[in-house]
Amino acid sequence: MGLEEKLPSGFALSTVEGLAGYMRKASLWPATFGLACCAIEMMSFGGPKYDSARFGMEVFRASPRQADLMIVAGRVSNKMAPVLRQIYDQMANPKWVIAMGVCASSGGMFNNYAIVQGVDHVVPVDIYLPGCPPRPEMLLDAILKLHDKIRHTPLGVDAVREEMRAEQLALAAPPTSANIGLLR
Ligand code: SF4
């Protein structure tokens, strides 16, 4: 029994946004970029056991110009922050970022002057992945959630409206320094 027998006859309707989102989510290419111990789990995600190739993303690109997904795998030092930003700026648009692990998401247990307290200070983050380190299964789950987000990304004026809404929310959010944690 082939796929043809499952499909209804006639024609199918969709939107340009739906079609673009479907193709984009199925062709993510991550930049080769690992900062600390979380990167080991990310490498394992690209190996044969977890097989990221199933999602059209088997090639981790060595050049940011050929990549549209940045997986920030590990803590970001202040020295590394401008390098990370430059790589992000050189990546093709549209692009997405996953903060992998507690260090990339919030600085984690490295509550000191050397470590950026969350990579969202440097680049916009689409998905925050908790854990220390997150297992490759968790990264797979984050990728699937990102797929869902990409599929529903608006285009044109809707995209501009969505960006403005996100910016307003970001401006209204309390500063990180006001988020008093256990270590402060
Ligand atoms: S979250 Fe844990 S495993 Fe990941 S970089 Fe930080 S200390 Fe290492």
Side-chain angles (χ1 to χ4, degrees), residues 35-39 41 73-75 100-104 107-110 131-134:
L35 292 173
C37 12
C38 271
E41 303 296 320
R75 52 195 168 271
M100 181 179 179
V102 65
C103 289
M109 64 293 285
F110 299 99
C132 174

Side-chain angles (χ1 to χ4, degrees), residues 4 13 15 20 46 62 74 86 88 95 142 145 150 155 168 182:
E4 306 80 33
L13 292 176
T15 60
Q86 186 174 1
Y88 176 81
K95 50 196 165 190
K145 287 191 168 59
I150 293 171
L155 296 178
Q168 290 304 321
L182 290 175

Side-chain angles (χ1 to χ4, degrees), residues 51-74:
D51 193 15
S52 58
R54 286 176 290 164
F55 306 104
M57 52 189 299
E58 60 268 49
V59 275
F60 275 72
R61 304 308 300 181
S63 166
R65 297 183 200 286
Q66 298 167 352
D68 56 4
L69 172 63
M70 173 181 271
I71 303 173
V72 185

Side-chain angles (χ1 to χ4, degrees), residues 8 11 13-14 39 46 50 53 81 100 114 121 127 137 152 155 158 162 166:
F11 55 89
L13 292 176
S14 182
Y50 296 99
M100 181 179 179
H121 289 279
I127 301 274
E137 292 92 337
H152 297 101
L155 296 178
D158 290 341
E162 179 60 28

